[in-house]
Amino acid sequence: MSATPRHVLTQALNAPDEAASSQLNEDQIIGAIASVYDPEIPVNIYELGLIYAVDMYEDGRVNIEMTLTAPNCPSAQELPLQVKQAVESVPGVTAAKVEIVWNPPWDMSRMSDEARLALNMF
């Protein structure tokens, strides 16, 4: 098994690297991440642009870099755990690691059009 990750995205909404091969299903990983919602905002964290990177390994490991809308976010403890649990529920995932990063800082420009529409931010 290779220890080289397949980098799925470097920031939310980038297209996956289709040239790489993996036993993991990218759509299922992203779908699992998108099942997690910020409790204060009725939009999932993927559409909010909180996911900065997803690295998938052939042995089933998934590493995720995410941020929060603010360093003092009241959900700072629960959101990473929810992401970890959601990704680990995907068939083929052996382990998920979620790291909170602060660089670059999150801002509203990272949100998808769907998130902006849902939040009436156009």
Side-chain angles (χ1 to χ4, degrees):
M1 299 264 165
S2 171
T4 304
R6 179 170 65 158
H7 201 64
V8 177
L9 55 109
T10 54
Q11 57 178 290
L13 310 175
N14 278 0
D17 177 14
E18 296 176 325
S21 64
S22 175
Q23 296 176 359
L24 296 178
N25 182 307
E26 295 171 15
D27 292 336
Q28 288 180 311
I29 299 292
I30 292 170
I33 293 169
S35 73
V36 178
Y37 282 73
D38 184 314
E40 297 180 344
I41 305 171
V43 176
N44 72 65
I45 64 168
Y46 185 79
E47 296 296 332
L48 282 174
L50 298 180
I51 303 301
Y52 284 2
V54 176
D55 291 325
M56 300 167 52
Y57 295 81
E58 289 180 9
D59 65 359
R61 290 176 296 130
V62 178
N63 291 342
I64 301 152
E65 287 183 3
M66 69 174 287
T67 194
L68 301 169
T69 55
N72 59 350
C73 175
S75 301
Q77 299 299 316
E78 66 192 59
L79 285 178
L81 180 59
Q82 289 176 1
V83 171
K84 176 180 171 44
Q85 291 171 338
V87 171
E88 286 180 339
S89 73
V90 173
V93 173
T94 58
K97 178 183 171 190
V98 179
E99 180 182 1
I100 297 292
V101 296
W102 299 108
N103 215 358
W106 180 87
D107 64 52
M108 289 189 278
S109 70
R110 300 190 61 84
M111 295 169 51
S112 71
D113 289 344
E114 290 81 8
R116 290 172 192 266
L117 186 62
L119 297 172
N120 201 21
M121 298 182 85
F122 275 103

